[in-house]
Amino acid sequence: MSSVQSVSSAKLLRHYVDGAFVETPTHFDNTSPVDGHLVARVCEADAATVDRAVTAARAALSGPWGATSPAERAAVLHRIADGIQARFDEFVAAEVADTGRPVEQARTLDIARGIANFRTFADLIKTAGSDLYEMRTADGADVINYVTRKPLGVIGIISPWNLPLLLFSWKVAPALAMGNCVVAKPSEETPSSATLLAEVIDAAGVPPGVFNLVHGFGPNSAGECLTRHPGVSAVTFTGESKTGSTIMKAVADGVKEISFELGGKNAAVVFADAEFDAAVDGVMRSSFTNAGQVCLCSERVYVERPIFERFVAALKAKAEALRIDAPDAAGVQMGPLVSRAHREKVLSYFKLAEQEGATIVTGGGVPHFGDSRDDGAFVQPTIWTGLPDTARCVTEEIFGPVCHVAPFDSEDEVVRRVNDSAYGLAGCVWTTNLSRAHRVARRFQTGLVWVNTWFLRDLRTPFGGVKLSGLGREGGRHSLDFYSEITNICIKL
């Protein structure tokens, strides 16, 4: 057994404020979910540090950055992307050290998407157009209306731990692209790749104050200080629905712009006419990728009754064949959860499922290695059947490598069951019937629907959820709109 230890236990991760790396006296531990070793010590920002960052950001808005053209900002974003590429292996190591995810996933998904986020929004702002409308008044005068986008101001960014660089850059890149300044707080669980990004941004020649990084927690720490700061113009957050509600209350008095991508209890629907092997492989990916720690994962699976038993058996065989190990082990397919604390939450649902009467098809416990990995945060991929739709394990987001598989008999029935949820982020439909695919996808009450695939993203398309899964859309033009103050100019000729 081996484990990637990318950051020395003596390393101190500092804030990046007004163009300089700064230390604060309070520190906290960042530990490995693989074996519990100390990855780094992390500075915790206090209210004064957050205030200094916001003040620097507001000052930078009226400096040279505020006068940059879209082409100039695009060049900056490309330099940042080049900087990540040049230090690709360092970013992979940092991401793996914090999350324990397989090295190959970090290489092909996390860091690659971080680079793509900067390049995509750089190219978008160079080619983005605007709206123009012509009209004639009753007295015969000609009028034109056109739309301009200006920076929104200082953007407060709070990002999660499950896909650290991917989701951090998903917000930083368009915010900078539109000429804003940023104060960003990564998750306290995964601070390493954000700190590396600050180094890259510094080396790319971004003016002081344009990008600021503060580390810390949520309540009574950096997160709360940031969301409550009067100098912050807008807040974008990805994370738990309950935290989103708290942030919404914090920004309400200031009537600040918000964009939330929150939790999900996503469903995958497999019709009997689906390409069977592709559907099994797809549900495997959508349930167990990143140990189930993706807001888009399928925790509810509905399978048409004629193929139900066969499907459950095939999914069980594939789940039991998953290689669970340290991130750099040969052939590893699933790593640990992000922390032992999160593992306790997931294990509590394993216990709850038994209490609610679930049939455990496979998993439901903790793998044992007989070495230091037993000090990590590993759990078994777990499949349940037999629970009613009202069971807590079927209605509450677990955020682990779990799914409940249930049979269904008709299209109307399964659509009703899919939509009977407090969440509405994403859904999957597996069928070879083209008419059914379009019909069912339109009836899902979700922000995204995949047909015969999962996690396939064109970054120009809208991303976000409904109900408790979020507020607003980001991606492509939708990000340009959110991170802008949109002004209509009306001219009578």
Side-chain angles (χ1 to χ4, degrees):
M1 190 279 296
S2 60
S3 64
V4 175
Q5 297 188 18
S6 60
V7 186
S8 166
S9 60
K11 186 175 180 66
L12 179 68
L13 302 184
R14 298 174 295 166
H15 317 291
Y16 181 72
V17 177
D18 200 13
F21 288 92
V22 297
E23 182 178 350
T24 46
T26 304
H27 303 159
F28 60 92
D29 289 346
N30 176 29
T31 58
S32 167
V34 176
D35 57 16
H37 79 269
L38 182 67
V39 173
R41 297 278 290 158
V42 189
C43 294
E44 181 182 359
D46 53 16
T49 305
V50 174
D51 180 67
R52 181 181 166 192
V54 174
T55 300
R58 295 208 71 82
L61 281 170
S62 15
W65 181 255
T68 54
S69 68
E72 290 170 329
R73 294 194 298 274
V76 170
L77 264 62
H78 274 299
R79 290 202 301 272
I80 294 170
D82 291 343
I84 300 172
Q85 186 70 60
R87 302 180 66 177
F88 193 93
D89 288 341
E90 291 179 70
F91 275 93
V92 169
E95 203 88 335
V96 168
D98 281 358
T99 65
R101 62 172 37 89
V103 170
E104 187 62 18
Q105 179 190 317
R107 294 187 65 84
T108 58
L109 173 62
D110 299 86
I111 311 307
R113 256 294 301 275
I115 294 170
N117 287 339
F118 281 101
R119 296 210 190 281
T120 295
F121 287 107
D123 293 341
L124 275 173
I125 58 171
K126 287 193 297 184
T127 58
S130 182
D131 296 328
L132 185 145
Y133 302 95
E134 298 182 53
M135 62 177 285
R136 180 163 290 172
T137 63
D139 60 0
D142 288 324
V143 178
I144 61 172
N145 287 270
Y146 66 93
V147 172
T148 64
R149 291 189 180 97
K150 296 174 285 189
L152 195 56
V154 176
I155 310 298
I157 294 174
I158 301 176
S159 64
W161 48 258
N162 59 317
L163 298 167
L165 183 68
L166 189 161
L167 293 175
F168 191 73
S169 56
W170 177 244
K171 298 177 181 298
V172 171
L176 296 181
M178 297 313 297
N180 299 284
C181 293
V182 163
V183 180
K185 189 198 89 66
S187 169
E188 63 275 11
E189 301 280 5
T190 53
S192 299
S193 58
T195 307
L196 270 181
L197 181 61
E199 294 178 10
V200 167
I201 288 175
D202 185 71
V206 177
V210 172
F211 172 84
N212 303 272
L213 175 74
V214 292
H215 294 295
F217 302 88
N220 304 310
S221 187
E224 183 174 346
C225 293
L226 182 58
T227 57
R228 293 189 178 279
H229 198 289
V232 171
S233 309
V235 174
T236 176
F237 167 75
T238 297
E240 293 183 351
S241 300
K242 183 178 180 181
T243 305
S245 176
T246 301
I247 293 174
M248 184 178 285
K249 294 171 185 175
V251 303
D253 288 343
V255 197
K256 296 176 182 177
E257 296 276 357
I258 52 173
S259 178
F260 290 159
E261 195 268 285
L262 306 176
K265 190 69 176 179
N266 310 300
V269 174
V270 183
F271 286 94
D273 65 4
E275 185 179 335
F276 186 83
D277 291 340
V280 173
D281 289 341
V283 171
M284 270 292 296
R285 285 188 63 234
S286 69
S287 295
F288 302 126
T289 291
N290 200 37
Q293 299 170 122
V294 180
C295 57
L296 303 165
C297 277
S298 307
E299 293 189 6
R300 296 183 292 153
V301 181
Y302 298 97
V303 181
E304 199 164 11
R305 197 174 299 274
I307 64 168
F308 176 76
E309 297 294 342
R310 179 185 171 208
F311 188 93
V312 171
L315 192 65
K316 174 181 185 291
K318 286 190 173 289
E320 291 176 348
L322 276 176
R323 173 74 187 277
I324 307 170
D325 211 329
D328 58 348
V332 62
Q333 295 169 289
M334 194 178 96
L337 299 177
V338 74
S339 67
R340 289 180 67 91
H342 184 56
R343 184 174 74 166
E344 290 308 307
K345 174 194 170 184
V346 172
L347 290 177
S348 73
Y349 278 100
F350 286 4
K351 182 177 180 180
L352 177 62
E354 293 186 56
Q355 295 170 349
E356 291 185 315
T359 297
I360 302 172
V361 176
T362 188
V366 175
H368 295 284
F369 301 98
D371 54 37
S372 62
R373 288 170 294 179
D374 290 334
D375 294 321
F378 294 89
V379 298
Q380 296 171 331
T382 298
I383 301 170
W384 301 311
T385 60
L387 289 175
D389 288 351
T390 54
R392 286 179 55 197
C393 288
V394 180
T395 61
E396 298 177 10
E397 183 181 37
I398 299 170
F399 220 61
V402 300
C403 66
H404 177 264
V405 190
F408 72 91
D409 295 299
S410 72
E411 183 179 307
D412 286 343
E413 172 207 342
V414 76
V415 169
R416 174 185 56 77
R417 294 170 72 183
V418 166
N419 290 337
D420 186 18
S421 173
Y423 296 97
L425 184 55
C428 293
V429 179
W430 296 89
T431 179
T432 55
N433 184 317
L434 182 62
S435 295
R436 172 183 283 146
H438 285 287
R439 187 170 61 244
V440 172
R442 287 169 178 262
R443 294 178 68 189
F444 276 17
Q445 296 171 1
T446 58
L448 301 92
V449 182
W450 282 288
V451 177
N452 297 330
T453 188
W454 177 76
F455 209 57
L456 182 61
R457 291 278 290 119
D458 184 324
L459 302 185
R460 297 169 296 181
T461 60
F463 182 89
V466 301
K467 298 188 270 190
L468 288 183
S469 288
L471 184 67
R473 295 292 183 271
E474 295 186 33
R477 178 174 177 173
H478 306 274
S479 285
L480 305 190
D481 286 345
F482 173 72
Y483 292 104
S484 303
E485 191 68 71
I486 298 175
T487 301
N488 182 74
I489 298 176
C490 178
I491 299 178
K492 185 177 181 181
L493 301 180

